Each structure stands twice: as C-alpha cells, then as structure tokens.
Amino acid sequence: MTASKDLLSKTRGQSTYQAILTAIRDGIYRPGDPLREEEVATRLGVSRTPVREALGRLQEKGLLEAAPGRGVAVSILSMQQIFELYAMREELEGIVARFAARHATEAEIANLERLNTRFAASEDPKVAAQWNRQFHARLYDAARNRYLRQAVEDLQETIALLPDTTFIQPGRTTTATDEHVAIIDAIRRHDADGAEKAAAAHIKAALEARLIITKSET
C-alpha cells in the first residue's frame, strides 16, 4: 500500500513538474515572473505538495531562482548564458545527427520528412515550434543513444527559459525547413560528417535568429 502511494506521489510530482515546465515554454510564466505555490496549485488543480516538490526540482536545475519574499521566479538568462547554451546545443545536436546517420531506418527518415512538411506548413510560430520539437525528438530516437538523449533533453529544459520562439522572425520557418532537409538528406546518405555539419549549421542559424529577437526586445 505504501509502495503504491509512493508511486502515485512520484507520478503526480513528475506530471506537475512537466506542467510547470510546459507553462514556462509556452510563455504562461515568463522570465522574471514569480511562481507562488498556492497560485500554481490552483491553476493545475493539485495540492501544494507536488507543486512544492516540482518548484524545488526546477530551482535545482536553474530554471527558477530565489525571489524577494522567500519565493521563486522564472530565471532570466544573461546573454553569456544564451551563447553558452547554444554552443552546447550545437555540439549535442551535431552528435545526434551523426548518430542518426548511422542508425536511422527508412521508416524513421520518412517520418522526419513528414514532420518537416507539417512544420513548413505551419503559419502560427507556436505551432511551428511544436512540430520542430517533434522533429528533433524523432532525431533523438534515431540516434539510438539513451545518454545522449538525456543530455539533449536536459538542455531543452533550459531552452524553455528563452522567451518566444525564433519562428516569430519573418522567414525563419522557411530557412529552418531547408536546414531540416539538409539534415535529412545527409542521414539518408548515411553521411555522418555531413549530417553533423548540417545540424551544427542549423543551430548556428537558430542562434542568429535568437540574437535578432533578443536585441529587438532590449
């Protein structure tokens, strides 16, 4: 009975953690916004206990920071942190594409193409961002490396702190579509070097778009 309760508590805590992370990614909670246990619990329809645990985990990962009044707020990334984040993303996504070129099946490649087609057709930047996340998630599947996947997913959680999606920049969805095609083509050829270079170029372009957005907001 106790084991069942512990499992239920862990499941509730994880779902609460993911719900708060999604709210940060979707801009419901933006950098600098305070998060109060009672308000978050009410919004999610859960007790304060899993919220307290989730906020603690998010703070440990650097996604939340201490705020005046003993509370927490969504962390604000400095420009230096943004550069460091994208530098790591460029390396990791490059390795993902390299491994995918070695292991991806024809079915997985076809699925990447389908996801990219849906991404390209997205007129809403938020919808484009959702398809983009699915595209990259399937790349992680194709890489066949659980440790690499965990490292990339941890990085993706920090990326959730970046306000807005880069797809709000005019033309970014179109150029990103072409970048995805270059990655897919290299994977189809089993060209590990080419896939890694294409993925690295993709992330460099994403950083350039991010910097344009960041400068326009300052």
Side-chain angles (χ1 to χ4, degrees):
M1 189 71 170
T2 301
S4 297
K5 286 184 177 179
D6 289 343
L7 179 60
L8 180 61
S9 176
K10 184 175 181 180
T11 301
R12 187 179 293 115
Q14 179 62 23
S15 63
T16 301
Y17 175 90
Q18 288 298 330
I20 298 172
L21 182 63
T22 298
I24 294 173
R25 179 180 291 118
D26 291 345
I28 295 172
Y29 299 128
R30 297 181 66 82
D33 284 353
L35 270 67
R36 298 179 177 83
E37 283 183 19
E38 185 175 357
E39 182 274 328
V40 175
T42 299
R43 179 179 172 276
L44 298 180
V46 298
S47 69
R48 294 176 65 170
T49 298
V51 171
R52 186 179 305 115
E53 294 172 354
L55 294 181
R57 283 182 61 195
L58 289 163
Q59 189 169 9
E60 287 177 3
K61 290 194 172 188
L63 303 180
L64 301 179
E65 56 192 14
R70 294 169 52 188
V72 293
V74 180
S75 297
I76 301 174
L77 296 182
S78 67
M79 187 62 73
Q80 180 59 35
Q81 286 174 302
I82 291 174
F83 277 116
E84 291 175 11
L85 181 61
Y86 272 88
M88 278 300 298
R89 190 181 176 199
E90 181 182 330
E91 293 297 323
L92 290 177
E93 294 280 2
I95 297 171
V96 166
R98 169 175 284 277
F99 285 10
R102 296 172 181 169
H103 304 297
T105 65
E106 287 300 322
E108 286 174 320
I109 294 170
N111 190 40
L112 288 171
E113 289 182 320
R114 283 193 293 270
L115 290 171
N116 196 37
T117 297
R118 292 177 178 175
F119 167 74
S122 302
E123 297 181 1
D124 184 333
K126 288 186 177 180
V127 173
Q130 292 170 358
W131 285 118
N132 185 62
R133 283 194 292 271
Q134 288 199 42
F135 176 87
H136 284 276
R138 299 295 76 77
L139 274 179
Y140 308 154
D141 290 341
R144 303 285 193 282
N145 189 300
R146 72 194 69 184
Y147 303 106
L148 177 59
R149 184 189 187 104
Q150 185 60 57
V152 177
E153 289 182 347
D154 285 346
L155 198 67
Q156 288 290 343
E157 291 191 353
T158 305
I159 289 173
L161 292 173
L162 297 172
D164 301 316
T165 170
T166 54
F167 303 122
I168 65 173
Q169 183 185 347
R172 178 57 194 151
T173 301
T174 300
T175 56
T177 297
D178 293 340
E179 292 157 14
H180 287 167
V181 169
I183 295 170
I184 295 169
D185 286 348
I187 290 173
R188 180 180 286 107
R189 298 192 306 270
H190 303 294
D191 179 0
D193 288 343
E196 182 172 3
K197 289 178 182 177
H202 176 48
I203 302 306
K204 285 180 180 177
L207 172 58
E208 291 176 3
R210 173 61 59 188
L211 294 179
I212 292 172
I213 292 171
T214 301
K215 288 177 181 177
S216 68
E217 293 176 342
T218 57

